[in-house]
Amino acid sequence: MIALIKTNMRLLFRTKAFWFFLLLMPALSTLILNVKFDSSAAYIDDFSEEIKEIDGADQKMAYYGGKGEYVVKVYDACHDKLSEALLTRLAKSGLFLICRVDISGESIDDMKEYMDARIEKDGYQDRMGAVLLITPDFSKRIMEGNGTEALKMYILSDDERCEALQTEIELQLSEMEEFRNKGYAKSDDVAGALDSVDEYMPEKNLVTVAGTNGRSLTVQQTNQKSQMGYAFAFMTLGFVFCGIFVAHTSIKEQKNGVFTRINLTGTSMLRYFVSKFVSVFFVSVMITAVVAICSFLLSEEDLGMSRIKYIGMIFLMGLIFSSLSMMIGILLGDVMSSNVAAFTIWCMSALLSGLYFPLNYTSNALKALSFMMPQKWFLEATEMIFVKDNSVYLMLICVTVAYLALIISLGGLGLKIRRTEAWGNS
């Protein structure tokens, strides 16, 4: 069997594509971990109580309401202190997500025609709860006592929270009317009076609690988890194709009659495929070694964990995927088919495991499917390491052993069926 392993490794070393994935994927994953970016908005359950400024009227609102928020798009044609006070108080109510488009600097000849076109586009090509138009003379109308004409509301959904929005707007307009009646002659004075009233409101204390998984991450840890997901995606690609290259040697041996000659020497099929798994093990060790060398370009602070833990996770994940791709390639028995299967495994598993974006707000069926992907468990392990949960080590060992046992069992069954069919055809 040692001779078989040496032969497998010698053939791998002669494959240029093997060296490409062996060296490039660890380098790319290290580069991703070294890039600083903020992705916490996609992971943290954070309902902002501030006005979100929108760059342009055509920007989609559907992305802001992905967690069930009641999104209100505001076309602010006034944009002074009084309109700012109104929108700020609507946002701080905690019931609505206020997204403002500043159109005060635009020259609009017919506001009704402009809004009709915008509402038609927002209603058919976007998704939001309601649209508000703050007229150019908003403050003037408020000070004249025509609050109902200073603002227009368009309902674009059947969400019952529209009634709460309407009630809240009426409440804010009535407070402005009340201050006007008390003798405040300027709109800026009314806005200042509203701000002074807010100072006497009870201070809101926000307490961060753990989510459904029972773990609470800081913003930095959330960003590190997102970066780790992208790094896992690159590393998975490397392990999958390096495992496929081991399968390529077996496919060529079967087609060229080498496998038959090996059987004639008295080598059992079990020893033959054990030699392939040992080759995969050595390949995983080699890729992990390259990852370990590249990791010295990063500090442990960048990783969010010790370098040993990071390397250990990469090795276990690689062992799973290289073994899986090798077994699938041998079962398919064709180089092109095995390459397509390897790429499909990488694409679908990375997508469904949440490496690119979180799946917290997807359907239960998709969440259950996500937990069938190995990368999902390693992302969970990343969180557990961040919060210093020592049960992560047992979990990783159990997950790795379970996947390897499943791969070997299904692979052995598939090989037995395939050999039976081959005997039947002969």
Side-chain angles (χ1 to χ4, degrees):
M1 188 169 68
I2 296 177
L4 290 175
I5 296 172
K6 289 182 178 180
T7 302
N8 291 332
M9 299 306 296
R10 194 178 298 114
L11 291 173
L12 278 176
F13 293 158
R14 293 175 182 173
T15 306
K16 295 180 180 179
F18 170 75
W19 291 102
F20 174 82
F21 285 99
L22 176 67
L23 300 176
L24 183 63
M25 293 303 108
L28 288 177
S29 65
T30 304
L31 179 63
I32 284 292
L33 291 174
N34 198 35
V35 175
K36 304 299 180 185
F37 59 89
D38 185 6
S39 60
S40 59
Y43 288 87
I44 297 177
D45 297 332
D46 171 44
F47 186 86
S48 176
E49 294 184 355
E50 297 180 353
I51 302 172
K52 291 189 177 295
E53 302 294 344
I54 306 303
D55 295 333
D58 292 329
Q59 187 170 340
K60 297 292 185 181
M61 298 295 102
Y63 303 111
Y64 290 91
K67 302 176 184 178
E69 296 88 346
Y70 188 81
V71 179
V72 180
K73 187 176 184 179
V74 180
Y75 292 92
D76 191 351
C78 182
H79 203 177
D80 62 0
K81 290 185 178 181
L82 198 57
S83 68
E84 183 79 17
L86 171 65
L87 297 181
T88 299
R89 291 163 75 87
L90 288 177
K92 287 186 176 180
S93 67
L95 299 175
F96 322 105
L97 188 62
I98 305 298
C99 302
R100 174 170 59 188
V101 181
D102 184 10
I103 60 173
S104 59
E106 299 183 18
S107 56
I108 302 175
D109 297 330
D110 190 337
M111 184 61 70
K112 183 179 183 304
E113 182 180 348
Y114 173 83
M115 286 306 299
D116 287 344
R118 294 307 316 172
I119 293 302
E120 182 177 1
K121 189 170 184 178
D122 291 340
Y124 287 102
Q125 300 182 17
D126 205 348
R127 187 181 65 187
M128 64 199 73
V131 168
L132 296 182
L133 168 64
I134 298 179
T135 59
D137 54 353
F138 172 79
S139 297
K140 180 181 178 181
R141 291 179 182 272
I142 291 293
M143 301 309 296
E144 291 175 352
N146 297 324
T148 55
E149 299 179 4
L151 183 146
K152 294 183 180 180
M153 177 177 175
Y154 304 84
I155 305 298
L156 298 184
S157 72
D158 55 357
D159 195 313
E160 295 181 357
R161 285 175 289 183
C162 65
E163 298 179 4
L165 175 62
Q166 186 173 0
T167 302
E168 185 68 24
I169 292 174
E170 292 174 354
L171 174 62
Q172 301 302 330
L173 293 179
S174 65
E175 289 189 9
M176 294 179 184
E177 180 75 13
E178 182 179 350
F179 281 113
R180 186 189 70 86
N181 294 335
K182 287 182 179 180
Y184 291 89
K186 297 182 179 180
S187 61
D188 290 352
D189 296 336
V190 174
L194 292 171
D195 292 337
S196 63
V197 170
D198 290 341
E199 293 178 359
Y200 294 98
M201 296 294 291
E203 185 177 353
K204 184 179 295 185
N205 184 24
L206 297 178
V207 179
T208 302
V209 297
T212 54
N213 56 10
R215 293 184 290 271
S216 179
L217 303 180
T218 64
V219 173
Q220 181 183 2
Q221 289 173 336
T222 302
N223 291 330
Q224 288 173 333
K225 176 190 172 183
S226 178
Q227 289 176 286
M228 195 67 73
Y230 293 125
F232 284 169
F234 282 111
M235 290 310 306
T236 303
L237 180 63
F239 282 114
V240 164
F241 273 96
C242 285
I244 279 295
F245 294 139
V246 177
H248 286 180
T249 62
S250 178
I251 294 171
K252 292 178 181 179
E253 288 170 352
Q254 294 180 48
K255 290 187 175 182
N256 296 335
V258 176
F259 179 64
T260 303
R261 291 194 293 272
I262 291 174
N263 286 334
L264 292 176
T265 63
T267 303
S268 65
M269 181 175 290
L270 176 62
R271 294 183 64 186
Y272 175 78
F273 284 105
V274 167
S275 69
K276 298 299 180 183
F277 275 106
V278 174
S279 300
V280 162
F281 177 85
F282 285 135
V283 167
S284 300
V285 171
M286 291 175 62
I287 300 178
T288 306
V290 177
V291 172
I293 295 172
C294 292
S295 70
F296 284 100
L297 299 175
L298 305 168
S299 65
E300 292 189 350
E301 184 179 352
D302 294 329
L303 295 173
M305 64 183 73
S306 68
R307 191 169 281 104
I308 296 297
K309 294 177 182 177
Y310 169 67
I311 295 172
M313 279 203 306
I314 294 295
F315 172 71
L316 294 178
M317 184 177 66
L319 194 58
I320 292 173
F321 276 98
S322 55
S323 301
L324 176 63
S325 60
M326 181 206 68
M327 183 57 68
I328 289 179
I330 293 176
L331 289 176
L332 292 177
D334 180 73
V335 172
M336 183 59 68
S337 299
S338 62
N339 290 340
V340 173
F343 187 76
T344 303
I345 290 172
W346 173 68
C347 287
M348 298 307 298
S349 63
L351 183 66
L352 294 175
S353 61
L355 295 186
Y356 303 128
F357 48 82
L359 303 176
N360 300 336
Y361 300 94
T362 56
S363 64
N364 291 330
L366 194 56
K367 289 179 182 178
L369 186 61
S370 174
F371 276 100
M372 297 176 64
M373 305 297 129
Q375 299 101 314
K376 176 67 174 178
W377 293 100
F378 286 91
L379 273 183
E380 290 289 312
T382 301
E383 284 192 10
M384 295 171 72
I385 292 175
F386 285 164
V387 300
K388 302 186 185 313
D389 187 348
N390 291 329
S391 62
V392 63
Y393 309 110
L394 179 61
M395 186 268 281
L396 284 176
I397 293 174
C398 291
V399 167
T400 304
V401 171
Y403 275 110
L404 289 178
L406 181 64
I407 291 168
I408 294 173
S409 300
L410 294 179
L413 179 62
L415 288 172
K416 185 178 292 186
I417 293 174
R418 186 178 172 189
R419 186 171 59 178
T420 303
E421 291 177 349
W423 287 346
N425 292 334
S426 60

